Amino acid sequence: MTQLSTLAVRAGQVRTQEGEHCEPIFTTSSYVFRNAAEAAARFDETEKGNIYSRFTNPTVRCFEERLAAMEGGASCVATSSGMAAILATCMSVLKAGDHIVCSESVFGSTIALINRYLLKFGVEVTYVRLDDNDAWREAIKPNTRMFYLETPSNPLSVIADIRALADIAHERGVLLVVDNCFCTPALQKPFELGADLVIHSATKFLDGQGRCIGGAVLGDAQIVGKDVFGFIRTAGPSMSPFNAWVFLKGLETLELRMRAQSAAALDIAQWLEAHPKVRKVHYAGLTSHPQYALAKRQQSAFGSIVTFEIENARAGAWSFIDATRLVSITANLGDVKTTITHPATTTHSRITAQERERAGITEGMLRLSIGLEALEDLKEDLAKGLAAA
Ligand SMILES: *Cc1c(COP(=O)(O)O)cnc(C)c1O
């Protein structure tokens, strides 16, 4: 059992004596012991086994083992959200006085987590351009503990060279942490490229149908299996068994969805690029993308996020959105329903206009997350937007 599609439907399942075919949801907060000695042995960890669902739960464990098999990580810990996965990683790996080098184009709440909370506890940070390997190297200090990045970036589809950054990090004993939310193991395997830790917001493509909030941290048995697990079990941002079950079902169709949504996104990106009202399309699957070759080498497809710029700045972008009828106006992404958002006034509205300009987020920019609707219906809807823009 080595192929992703097999692991996605089979890995991690332990059938109970009932012989159920589908994985059950264990809705229990605690577990009973056969006798007092067994309780004592579980608590002093001389015997493995369940105690309390903040620590372990069979449905959550099934999700963790399946995702670990798919990413190729030794250990996986599920969390209540993607942000909880990032927090748990930082709380486990960092201490006061440590330094992080972070991509300047990571998820907005990740930047807020670092700037508002980690800094308060004496952690230092340097932000660098995702695709500037020299900047990553030059930012390393004696107290640097972690490189942190997402690739492709949101919304501009800038690609990090994971292998090159892993080499730069490891030369100086720094851990490389990759948030693999946008590609998932269906399209990109950060561990094979040298990453030490992989983070997921399961809320996005792992679920794929916009139902639950969850996350995961993957890595080796010490950092993840002991340290991150220890933080989650003590601090409490554990994944609920119901959500774990929804994500398990999501994993079963992940590869099919990622391939279909990537193929549709490439088609839409090419179609938009050829349209006279579109100034620029940001999608790493286009041969016009400056990092097309790197993306092709590092990913097996280019993902579902297509960002493009139209004339007429904010007025044009808002008119585009308001003229559509099929696509959903929501800032979420990774759903089988196509979504559209105006980054400058939603996902990137809390940074200053100057910071937006520096990050390349223009007023005429729109971000699509392409779903599973028929291409001709999507194009018909987006054509309404283009006509109105
Ligand atoms: C959404 C997202 C997160 C945060 O995940 P939540 O499940 O919303 O907490 C982290 N990283 C990336 C890249 C995301 O898109």
Side-chain angles (χ1 to χ4, degrees):
M1 198 162 88
T2 56
Q3 299 299 310
L4 190 77
S5 47
T6 310
L7 297 170
V9 295
R10 294 286 178 183
Q13 185 173 13
V14 181
R15 236 169 240 138
T16 74
Q17 65 210 25
E18 300 295 342
E20 72 282 354
H21 192 203
C22 180
E23 301 78 355
I25 310 177
F26 284 87
T27 53
T28 182
S29 44
S30 75
Y31 302 84
V32 293
F33 312 110
R34 272 176 309 214
N35 49 49
E38 186 176 72
R42 294 267 174 95
F43 273 81
D44 73 14
E45 292 177 21
T46 50
E47 182 189 300
K48 283 184 77 155
N50 299 311
I51 298 174
Y52 190 54
S53 281
R54 170 153 43 82
F55 312 169
T56 59
N57 173 280
T59 312
V60 176
R61 186 181 313 117
C62 184
F63 166 74
E64 291 168 336
E65 290 188 1
R66 189 165 295 179
L67 185 59
M70 293 171 74
E71 278 285 7
S75 287
C76 174
V77 171
T79 57
S80 56
S81 67
M83 290 316 304
I86 299 168
L87 174 68
T89 302
C90 292
M91 293 299 278
S92 307
V93 168
L94 302 172
K95 60 179 189 315
D98 282 348
H99 173 244
I100 320 173
V101 185
C102 185
S103 157
E104 63 188 12
S105 36
V106 292
F107 190 61
S109 297
T110 305
I111 297 205
L113 175 69
I114 295 171
N115 291 354
R116 273 193 236 150
Y117 301 102
L118 295 185
L119 297 196
K120 196 165 82 167
F121 292 96
V123 171
E124 297 172 43
V125 62
T126 305
Y127 292 103
V128 295
R129 265 188 57 164
L130 180 61
D131 58 350
D132 184 348
N133 292 354
D134 291 335
W136 287 87
R137 182 184 289 107
E138 283 155 20
I140 298 178
K141 305 202 268 186
N143 57 339
T144 303
R145 180 83 176 109
M146 183 192 279
F147 275 9
Y148 189 95
L149 62 87
E150 284 161 26
T151 179
S153 73
N154 172 21
L156 286 168
S157 283
V158 178
I159 309 289
D161 186 335
I162 299 176
R163 165 67 64 198
L165 292 177
D167 290 345
I168 293 168
H170 294 159
E171 233 168 69
R172 303 281 297 272
V174 172
L175 292 171
L176 175 62
V177 183
V178 175
D179 180 335
N180 202 26
C181 174
F182 286 88
C183 278
T184 82
L187 306 186
Q188 174 170 276
K189 304 293 264 310
F191 288 127
E192 289 175 8
L193 299 164
D196 299 290
L197 294 166
V198 169
I199 286 183
H200 275 287
S201 167
T203 316
K204 313 292 168 49
F205 296 97
L206 301 192
D207 174 2
Q209 293 170 68
R211 298 165 293 193
C212 291
I213 304 280
V217 186
L218 297 108
D220 71 23
Q222 177 60 44
I223 296 180
V224 176
K226 289 215 156 48
D227 302 343
V228 175
F229 172 69
F231 174 78
I232 295 293
R233 115 172 220 171
T234 307
S238 334
M239 180 178 282
S240 86
F242 176 79
N243 287 8
W245 183 83
V246 172
F247 295 133
L248 264 177
K249 297 296 107 180
L251 290 181
E252 293 181 351
T253 58
L254 178 67
E255 193 180 15
L256 285 174
R257 285 185 283 108
M258 292 307 286
R259 297 221 172 283
Q261 290 173 236
S262 295
L266 177 58
D267 190 300
I268 297 278
Q270 289 166 338
W271 177 76
L272 285 169
E273 194 174 44
H275 196 283
K277 278 199 174 168
V278 176
R279 288 174 54 178
K280 192 168 171 52
V281 181
H282 302 268
Y283 187 70
L286 294 172
T287 50
S288 59
H289 188 287
Q291 295 174 293
Y292 170 75
L294 171 61
K296 199 166 162 54
R297 187 165 80 236
Q298 185 164 279
Q299 304 171 205
S300 63
F302 304 100
S304 83
I305 310 297
V306 178
T307 299
F308 61 102
E309 295 176 55
I310 53 172
E311 311 285 352
N312 282 335
R314 182 182 298 192
W318 282 21
S319 303
F320 185 113
I321 289 179
D322 293 344
T324 60
R325 289 293 170 268
L326 177 64
V327 301
S328 313
I329 308 169
T330 170
N332 200 18
L333 57 88
D335 203 288
V336 294
K337 295 180 172 74
T338 296
T339 63
I340 188 165
T341 196
H342 182 237
T345 51
T346 61
T347 54
H348 292 70
S349 63
R350 274 165 299 177
I351 59 175
T352 63
Q354 203 180 355
E355 286 172 316
R356 269 197 300 279
E357 193 181 311
R358 209 169 71 92
I361 315 285
T362 64
E363 289 285 330
M365 182 173 279
L366 290 164
R367 187 195 72 194
L368 294 166
S369 171
I370 301 296
L372 289 179
E373 301 93 341
L375 263 174
E376 55 191 311
D377 291 331
L378 278 179
K379 285 183 188 166
E380 188 185 310
D381 199 44
L382 297 175
K384 289 188 185 117
L386 285 165

